[in-house]
């Protein structure tokens, strides 16, 4: 009879213990959920010299440096060396260093947001409207000096943020512009191989074929500053 009472008591305690364990688990800190919910785009990535490419932005001493160009020098003895030219996207200065093969870097935690160019102010700063929130962002003239000549009214670009600050404005590589000013077009066979300067609607000057005339729309490679074709769209 005593054995039956002990078994009955143990059976009654099991639901109570399970309930207490469930309550404790509900109040336990879920530390793993913070890491899993963090966007991957916000995490820096460790790389080495073999991962370097033009246009890559790395963080050095807390600042963003963009790779302008690089070269690899192979040696008869020992590991190869990589010479990299960087541009500081906050200060504008450039730096060239040589690194041993396999040296480590950390990619900069940057964020790109689409925006539309609206207008400049009296200090040559440019204003852009966020395409999602419609809020305006002022970008200092020193940030856009490399690409300002390609920015046309109403153009959509990407604003690159680093720690909440715009450090770069990226324009589309292929853009359509109107020829605002150039010499009269040359017709016939005499136009073959002839080129001339042309001022575009954005203000940039490029070399175009001699047969083109003012008012025509053309496609341009903004990275190279070169004429691609007529824009027939």
């Amino acid at each position: 009879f005593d054995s039956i009472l002990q078994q009955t008591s143990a059976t009654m305690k099991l639901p109570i213990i399970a309930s207490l364990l469930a309550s404790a688990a509900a109040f336990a800190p879920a530390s793993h959920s913070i890491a899993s919910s963090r966007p991957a785009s916000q995490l820096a990535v460790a790389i080495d010299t073999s991962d370097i490419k033009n246009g890559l932005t790395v963080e050095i001493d807390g600042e963003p440096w963009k790779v302008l160009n690089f070269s690899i020098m192979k040696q008869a003895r020992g590991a190869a060396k990589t010479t990299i030219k960087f541009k500081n996207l906050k200060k504008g200065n450039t730096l060239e260093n040589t690194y041993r093969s396999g040296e480590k870097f950390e990619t900069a935690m940057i964020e790109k947001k689409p925006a539309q160019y609206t207008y400049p102010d009296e200090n040559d700063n440019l204003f852009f409207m966020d395409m999602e929130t419609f809020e305006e962002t002022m970008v200092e003239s020193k940030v856009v000096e490399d690409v300002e000549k390609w920015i046309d009214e109403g153009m959509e670009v990407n604003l690159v943020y680093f720690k909440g600050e715009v450090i770069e404005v990226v324009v589309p590589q292929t853009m359509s512009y109107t020829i605002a000013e150039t010499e009269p077009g040359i017709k016939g066979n005499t136009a073959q191989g002839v080129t001339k300067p042309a001022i575009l609607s954005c203000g940039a000057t490029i070399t175009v074929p001699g047969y083109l005339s003012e008012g025509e729309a053309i496609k341009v490679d903004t990275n190279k500053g070169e004429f691609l074709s007529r824009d027939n769209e």
Side-chain angles (χ1 to χ4, degrees), residues 13-28:
K13 288 178 181 179
L14 286 174
I16 298 174
I17 295 171
S19 177
L20 290 172
L21 290 173
S23 299
F27 288 98

Side-chain angles (χ1 to χ4, degrees), residues 16-197:
I16 298 174
I17 295 171
S19 177
L20 290 172
L21 290 173
S23 299
F27 288 98
S31 58
H32 65 280
S33 64
I34 297 175
S36 62
S37 63
R38 183 183 299 155
S41 60
Q42 296 300 311
L43 298 177
V45 178
I47 61 172
D48 62 31
T49 51
S50 65
D51 301 307
I52 292 296
K53 59 183 179 180
N54 292 343
L56 180 69
T57 303
V58 299
E59 183 173 345
I60 302 175
D61 297 330
E63 296 194 333
W65 293 83
K66 182 177 182 178
V67 177
L68 298 180
N69 54 66
F70 69 97
S71 61
I72 300 173
M73 181 176 63
K74 296 182 179 180
Q75 302 181 102
R77 295 182 180 180
K81 293 184 178 181
T82 304
T83 300
I84 309 172
K85 185 175 183 180
F86 297 100
K87 178 182 179 180
N88 188 310
L89 293 179
K90 290 186 68 175
K91 300 177 180 178
N93 58 304
T94 59
L95 174 70
E96 187 171 282
N97 277 335
T98 299
Y99 301 89
R100 295 187 302 273
S101 178
E103 284 202 51
K104 303 294 184 181
F105 298 90
E106 192 173 77
T107 57
M109 293 188 295
I110 59 174
E111 182 181 8
K112 292 183 179 182
K113 292 184 178 181
Q116 185 178 48
Y117 172 58
T118 52
Y119 64 93
D121 65 11
E122 63 276 7
N123 297 317
D124 295 327
N125 300 313
L126 302 187
F127 284 79
F128 297 85
M129 181 181 68
D130 189 298
M131 299 296 289
E132 297 177 356
T133 65
F134 303 108
E135 295 179 354
E136 281 197 335
T137 299
M138 187 198 77
V139 180
E140 295 183 5
S141 57
K142 66 179 182 180
V143 176
V144 296
E145 61 183 359
D146 291 342
V147 297
E148 185 175 4
K149 63 183 179 181
W150 302 116
I151 299 177
D152 210 352
E153 183 178 356
M155 175 186 283
E156 293 183 13
V157 301
N158 275 320
L159 301 184
V160 181
Y161 289 81
F162 176 75
K163 297 181 179 179
E165 179 182 353
V166 178
I167 58 170
E168 187 179 15
V169 176
V170 180
V171 302
Q173 182 172 349
T174 301
M175 279 299 301
S176 177
Y177 299 100
T178 301
I179 298 177
E181 184 179 335
T182 191
E183 298 173 1
I186 303 173
K187 296 181 180 181
N189 295 332
T190 56
Q192 294 181 2
V194 177
T195 60
K196 59 184 179 180

